[in-house]
Short mmCIF file of all heavy atoms in Angstrom, two decimals:
data_model
loop_
_atom_site.label_atom_id
_atom_site.label_comp_id
_atom_site.label_asym_id
_atom_site.label_seq_id
_atom_site.Cartn_x
_atom_site.Cartn_y
_atom_site.Cartn_z
N GLY A 1 -33.78 22.04 -86.29
CA GLY A 1 -33.49 20.65 -86.07
C GLY A 1 -34.77 19.74 -86.43
O GLY A 1 -34.84 18.57 -85.98
N ILE A 2 -35.62 20.19 -87.29
CA ILE A 2 -36.72 19.45 -87.58
C ILE A 2 -36.34 18.04 -88.24
O ILE A 2 -36.79 17.00 -87.78
CB ILE A 2 -37.72 20.19 -88.58
CG1 ILE A 2 -38.46 21.49 -87.71
CG2 ILE A 2 -38.86 19.28 -89.12
CD1 ILE A 2 -39.18 22.27 -88.65
N VAL A 3 -35.60 18.10 -89.21
CA VAL A 3 -35.13 16.91 -89.87
C VAL A 3 -33.63 17.09 -90.18
O VAL A 3 -33.37 17.93 -90.94
CB VAL A 3 -35.90 16.53 -91.14
CG1 VAL A 3 -35.29 15.21 -91.70
CG2 VAL A 3 -37.37 16.31 -90.79
N SER A 4 -32.85 16.19 -89.67
CA SER A 4 -31.44 16.24 -90.06
C SER A 4 -31.01 15.11 -90.82
O SER A 4 -31.31 13.98 -90.53
CB SER A 4 -30.66 16.28 -88.75
OG SER A 4 -29.30 16.25 -89.08
N PRO A 5 -30.21 15.27 -91.98
CA PRO A 5 -29.83 14.22 -92.79
C PRO A 5 -29.06 13.21 -91.92
O PRO A 5 -29.07 11.96 -92.25
CB PRO A 5 -28.93 14.87 -93.81
CG PRO A 5 -29.48 16.28 -93.89
CD PRO A 5 -29.86 16.68 -92.55
N ALA A 6 -28.21 13.65 -90.90
CA ALA A 6 -27.49 12.75 -90.16
C ALA A 6 -28.42 11.75 -89.34
O ALA A 6 -27.94 10.69 -88.82
CB ALA A 6 -26.61 13.59 -89.21
N MET A 7 -29.63 12.17 -89.12
CA MET A 7 -30.58 11.41 -88.35
C MET A 7 -31.47 10.57 -89.18
O MET A 7 -32.57 10.27 -88.86
CB MET A 7 -31.35 12.21 -87.37
CG MET A 7 -30.52 12.94 -86.35
SD MET A 7 -29.50 11.71 -85.27
CE MET A 7 -30.93 10.94 -84.31
N ALA A 8 -31.03 10.26 -90.51
CA ALA A 8 -32.01 9.50 -91.40
C ALA A 8 -32.34 8.19 -90.74
O ALA A 8 -31.52 7.62 -89.94
CB ALA A 8 -31.22 9.45 -92.76
N ALA A 9 -33.35 7.56 -91.12
CA ALA A 9 -33.86 6.31 -90.61
C ALA A 9 -32.75 5.22 -90.77
O ALA A 9 -32.06 5.14 -91.87
CB ALA A 9 -35.12 5.67 -91.27
N VAL A 10 -32.56 4.46 -89.78
CA VAL A 10 -31.45 3.44 -89.82
C VAL A 10 -32.12 2.04 -89.90
O VAL A 10 -33.15 1.75 -89.30
CB VAL A 10 -30.75 3.46 -88.38
CG1 VAL A 10 -29.58 2.42 -88.38
CG2 VAL A 10 -30.07 4.83 -88.24
N ALA A 11 -31.63 1.28 -90.72
CA ALA A 11 -32.23 0.02 -90.87
C ALA A 11 -32.08 -0.90 -89.65
O ALA A 11 -31.07 -0.83 -89.02
CB ALA A 11 -31.49 -0.79 -92.11
N VAL A 12 -33.15 -1.71 -89.33
CA VAL A 12 -33.02 -2.38 -88.06
C VAL A 12 -33.12 -3.85 -88.33
O VAL A 12 -33.83 -4.32 -89.25
CB VAL A 12 -34.43 -2.14 -87.27
CG1 VAL A 12 -34.38 -2.81 -85.99
CG2 VAL A 12 -34.46 -0.58 -86.83
N SER A 13 -32.27 -4.63 -87.58
CA SER A 13 -32.21 -6.04 -87.84
C SER A 13 -33.59 -6.80 -87.66
O SER A 13 -34.16 -6.41 -86.78
CB SER A 13 -31.23 -6.62 -86.86
OG SER A 13 -31.31 -8.12 -86.94
N PRO A 14 -33.96 -7.62 -88.62
CA PRO A 14 -35.22 -8.30 -88.48
C PRO A 14 -35.21 -9.34 -87.37
O PRO A 14 -36.31 -9.90 -87.12
CB PRO A 14 -35.54 -8.85 -89.89
CG PRO A 14 -34.15 -9.09 -90.27
CD PRO A 14 -33.29 -7.99 -89.81
N THR A 15 -34.13 -9.72 -86.91
CA THR A 15 -34.09 -10.79 -85.94
C THR A 15 -33.38 -10.42 -84.57
O THR A 15 -32.57 -9.46 -84.68
CB THR A 15 -33.54 -12.07 -86.41
OG1 THR A 15 -32.17 -11.80 -86.82
CG2 THR A 15 -34.36 -12.61 -87.66
N LEU A 16 -33.57 -11.09 -83.48
CA LEU A 16 -33.06 -10.72 -82.17
C LEU A 16 -31.52 -11.03 -82.34
O LEU A 16 -30.82 -10.27 -81.65
CB LEU A 16 -33.78 -11.44 -81.14
CG LEU A 16 -33.29 -10.95 -79.79
CD1 LEU A 16 -33.59 -9.63 -79.54
CD2 LEU A 16 -33.94 -11.89 -78.68
N GLY A 17 -31.18 -12.17 -82.81
CA GLY A 17 -29.69 -12.51 -82.84
C GLY A 17 -29.17 -13.03 -81.46
O GLY A 17 -30.00 -13.48 -80.70
N ALA A 18 -27.89 -12.85 -81.21
CA ALA A 18 -27.39 -13.36 -79.90
C ALA A 18 -27.87 -12.82 -78.76
O ALA A 18 -28.35 -11.55 -78.79
CB ALA A 18 -25.82 -13.33 -80.09
N ALA A 19 -27.63 -13.26 -77.59
CA ALA A 19 -28.08 -12.62 -76.28
C ALA A 19 -27.20 -11.34 -76.09
O ALA A 19 -26.17 -11.28 -76.68
CB ALA A 19 -27.80 -13.59 -75.17
N ALA A 20 -27.90 -10.50 -75.33
CA ALA A 20 -27.11 -9.25 -75.10
C ALA A 20 -25.94 -9.44 -74.25
O ALA A 20 -25.84 -10.25 -73.39
CB ALA A 20 -28.05 -8.45 -74.30
N GLN A 21 -24.87 -8.58 -74.65
CA GLN A 21 -23.62 -8.75 -73.85
C GLN A 21 -23.77 -7.83 -72.71
O GLN A 21 -23.09 -6.75 -72.58
CB GLN A 21 -22.41 -8.34 -74.74
CG GLN A 21 -22.33 -9.38 -75.99
CD GLN A 21 -22.09 -10.66 -75.59
OE1 GLN A 21 -21.16 -10.90 -74.72
NE2 GLN A 21 -22.75 -11.68 -76.13
N ALA A 22 -24.60 -8.14 -71.70
CA ALA A 22 -24.88 -7.21 -70.61
C ALA A 22 -23.66 -7.25 -69.62
O ALA A 22 -23.06 -8.32 -69.32
CB ALA A 22 -26.07 -7.66 -69.89
N THR A 23 -23.31 -6.12 -69.15
CA THR A 23 -22.36 -5.97 -68.11
C THR A 23 -22.99 -5.30 -66.91
O THR A 23 -23.97 -4.59 -67.10
CB THR A 23 -21.08 -5.13 -68.54
OG1 THR A 23 -21.60 -3.83 -69.01
CG2 THR A 23 -20.49 -5.85 -69.83
N LYS A 24 -22.29 -5.51 -65.76
CA LYS A 24 -22.89 -4.77 -64.52
C LYS A 24 -22.85 -3.21 -64.76
O LYS A 24 -21.59 -2.77 -65.05
CB LYS A 24 -22.07 -5.31 -63.25
CG LYS A 24 -22.86 -4.79 -62.09
CD LYS A 24 -22.13 -5.47 -60.80
CE LYS A 24 -22.81 -5.01 -59.58
NZ LYS A 24 -22.04 -5.62 -58.44
N PRO A 25 -23.82 -2.49 -64.51
CA PRO A 25 -23.62 -1.08 -64.69
C PRO A 25 -22.71 -0.40 -63.59
O PRO A 25 -22.65 -0.90 -62.62
CB PRO A 25 -25.10 -0.52 -64.57
CG PRO A 25 -25.75 -1.64 -63.77
CD PRO A 25 -25.21 -2.92 -64.20
N LYS A 26 -22.00 0.63 -63.92
CA LYS A 26 -21.08 1.36 -63.04
C LYS A 26 -21.99 1.95 -61.87
O LYS A 26 -21.51 2.07 -60.80
CB LYS A 26 -20.28 2.33 -63.69
CG LYS A 26 -19.38 1.63 -64.83
CD LYS A 26 -18.57 2.85 -65.44
CE LYS A 26 -17.66 2.22 -66.46
NZ LYS A 26 -17.01 3.34 -67.25
N ALA A 27 -23.22 2.36 -62.17
CA ALA A 27 -24.04 2.83 -61.26
C ALA A 27 -25.60 2.67 -61.64
O ALA A 27 -25.67 2.26 -62.81
CB ALA A 27 -23.91 4.63 -61.19
N ARG A 28 -26.36 2.73 -60.75
CA ARG A 28 -27.77 2.51 -60.94
C ARG A 28 -28.13 3.48 -62.21
O ARG A 28 -27.97 4.58 -62.19
CB ARG A 28 -28.71 2.78 -59.77
CG ARG A 28 -28.57 1.71 -58.73
CD ARG A 28 -29.51 1.91 -57.65
NE ARG A 28 -29.35 3.19 -57.06
CZ ARG A 28 -30.26 3.81 -56.18
NH1 ARG A 28 -31.29 3.16 -56.01
NH2 ARG A 28 -30.06 4.90 -55.60
N PRO A 29 -28.98 2.77 -63.21
CA PRO A 29 -29.28 3.64 -64.38
C PRO A 29 -30.30 4.75 -64.00
O PRO A 29 -31.11 4.53 -63.22
CB PRO A 29 -29.79 2.58 -65.34
CG PRO A 29 -30.37 1.63 -64.52
CD PRO A 29 -29.41 1.56 -63.32
N ASN A 30 -30.24 5.89 -64.85
CA ASN A 30 -31.32 6.65 -64.87
C ASN A 30 -32.42 6.12 -65.76
O ASN A 30 -32.20 5.13 -66.61
CB ASN A 30 -30.94 8.06 -65.58
CG ASN A 30 -29.62 8.67 -64.90
OD1 ASN A 30 -29.57 8.88 -63.74
ND2 ASN A 30 -28.53 8.81 -65.79
N VAL A 31 -33.57 6.61 -65.60
CA VAL A 31 -34.80 6.18 -66.45
C VAL A 31 -35.48 7.36 -67.07
O VAL A 31 -35.97 8.27 -66.46
CB VAL A 31 -35.71 5.36 -65.65
CG1 VAL A 31 -36.94 4.96 -66.56
CG2 VAL A 31 -35.01 4.12 -65.09
N LEU A 32 -35.56 7.37 -68.40
CA LEU A 32 -36.35 8.38 -69.22
C LEU A 32 -37.39 7.52 -69.83
O LEU A 32 -37.31 6.70 -70.81
CB LEU A 32 -35.45 9.04 -70.25
CG LEU A 32 -36.27 9.82 -71.22
CD1 LEU A 32 -37.17 11.00 -70.59
CD2 LEU A 32 -35.44 10.57 -72.30
N LEU A 33 -38.69 7.74 -69.38
CA LEU A 33 -39.93 7.00 -69.80
C LEU A 33 -40.82 7.90 -70.57
O LEU A 33 -41.31 8.80 -69.94
CB LEU A 33 -40.61 6.33 -68.63
CG LEU A 33 -41.86 5.65 -68.88
CD1 LEU A 33 -41.91 4.76 -70.07
CD2 LEU A 33 -42.42 4.98 -67.65
N MET A 34 -40.84 7.78 -71.90
CA MET A 34 -41.71 8.76 -72.67
C MET A 34 -43.04 7.98 -73.12
O MET A 34 -42.89 6.81 -73.78
CB MET A 34 -40.84 9.29 -73.88
CG MET A 34 -39.77 10.08 -73.56
SD MET A 34 -38.60 10.42 -74.93
CE MET A 34 -37.61 8.91 -75.07
N ILE A 35 -44.16 8.62 -73.04
CA ILE A 35 -45.36 7.92 -73.30
C ILE A 35 -46.27 8.90 -74.20
O ILE A 35 -46.39 10.01 -73.74
CB ILE A 35 -46.18 7.36 -72.18
CG1 ILE A 35 -47.41 6.69 -72.66
CG2 ILE A 35 -46.40 8.36 -71.16
CD1 ILE A 35 -48.10 5.90 -71.56
N CYS A 36 -46.71 8.52 -75.34
CA CYS A 36 -47.53 9.40 -76.16
C CYS A 36 -48.97 9.16 -75.72
O CYS A 36 -49.42 8.12 -75.15
CB CYS A 36 -47.34 9.17 -77.60
SG CYS A 36 -45.69 9.66 -78.24
N ASP A 37 -49.87 10.01 -76.39
CA ASP A 37 -51.34 9.79 -76.11
C ASP A 37 -52.07 9.53 -77.55
O ASP A 37 -51.87 10.27 -78.32
CB ASP A 37 -51.89 11.16 -75.74
CG ASP A 37 -53.25 10.91 -75.04
OD1 ASP A 37 -53.81 9.75 -75.00
OD2 ASP A 37 -53.85 11.88 -74.54
N ASP A 38 -52.48 8.22 -77.57
CA ASP A 38 -53.16 7.78 -78.92
C ASP A 38 -52.21 7.51 -80.03
O ASP A 38 -52.67 7.48 -81.13
CB ASP A 38 -54.28 8.74 -79.33
CG ASP A 38 -55.48 8.93 -78.37
OD1 ASP A 38 -55.35 8.41 -77.23
OD2 ASP A 38 -56.39 9.52 -78.86
N LEU A 39 -50.92 7.32 -79.75
CA LEU A 39 -50.04 7.00 -80.88
C LEU A 39 -50.29 5.54 -81.17
O LEU A 39 -50.33 4.73 -80.38
CB LEU A 39 -48.55 7.20 -80.39
CG LEU A 39 -47.62 6.81 -81.52
CD1 LEU A 39 -47.54 8.03 -82.59
CD2 LEU A 39 -46.21 6.73 -80.81
N GLY A 40 -50.40 5.27 -82.54
CA GLY A 40 -50.93 3.89 -83.08
C GLY A 40 -49.69 3.04 -83.19
O GLY A 40 -48.49 3.46 -83.43
N TYR A 41 -49.93 1.71 -83.16
CA TYR A 41 -48.81 0.72 -83.41
C TYR A 41 -48.15 0.89 -84.67
O TYR A 41 -46.86 0.58 -84.83
CB TYR A 41 -49.41 -0.61 -83.23
CG TYR A 41 -48.67 -1.83 -83.57
CD1 TYR A 41 -47.52 -2.16 -82.66
CD2 TYR A 41 -48.75 -2.63 -84.70
CE1 TYR A 41 -46.79 -3.29 -82.88
CE2 TYR A 41 -48.05 -3.78 -84.85
CZ TYR A 41 -47.05 -4.04 -83.95
OH TYR A 41 -46.22 -5.16 -84.27
N GLY A 42 -48.83 1.43 -85.67
CA GLY A 42 -48.19 1.54 -87.08
C GLY A 42 -47.92 3.03 -87.35
O GLY A 42 -47.72 3.30 -88.52
N ASP A 43 -47.72 3.88 -86.36
CA ASP A 43 -47.54 5.44 -86.63
C ASP A 43 -45.99 5.73 -86.82
O ASP A 43 -45.77 6.96 -86.97
CB ASP A 43 -48.19 6.23 -85.60
CG ASP A 43 -49.62 6.42 -85.89
OD1 ASP A 43 -49.99 6.36 -87.06
OD2 ASP A 43 -50.39 6.64 -84.77
#
C-alpha cells in the first residue's frame, strides 16, 4: 500500500467558498490528532 493509484493527489479548491453545512452530530465525535516531528510547512 505504499502508493495506490486510487489515492492520487486530489485538487483542492483555492478558496473557502460558502459556509459549512454543519449539522448537529449524532454523537460526540471521536478525535484523531496526528502530529509529526520537524515536518515543514512546505513538505
Side-chain angles (χ1 to χ4, degrees):
I2 292 175
V3 178
S4 169
M7 295 301 290
V10 178
V12 180
S13 170
T15 58
L16 187 63
Q21 300 299 312
T23 57
K24 187 174 182 180
K26 295 178 181 178
R28 290 187 298 167
N30 307 305
V31 177
L32 169 58
L33 172 54
M34 297 172 280
I35 182 169
C36 292
D37 197 357
D38 292 12
L39 183 74
Y41 176 68
D43 276 333

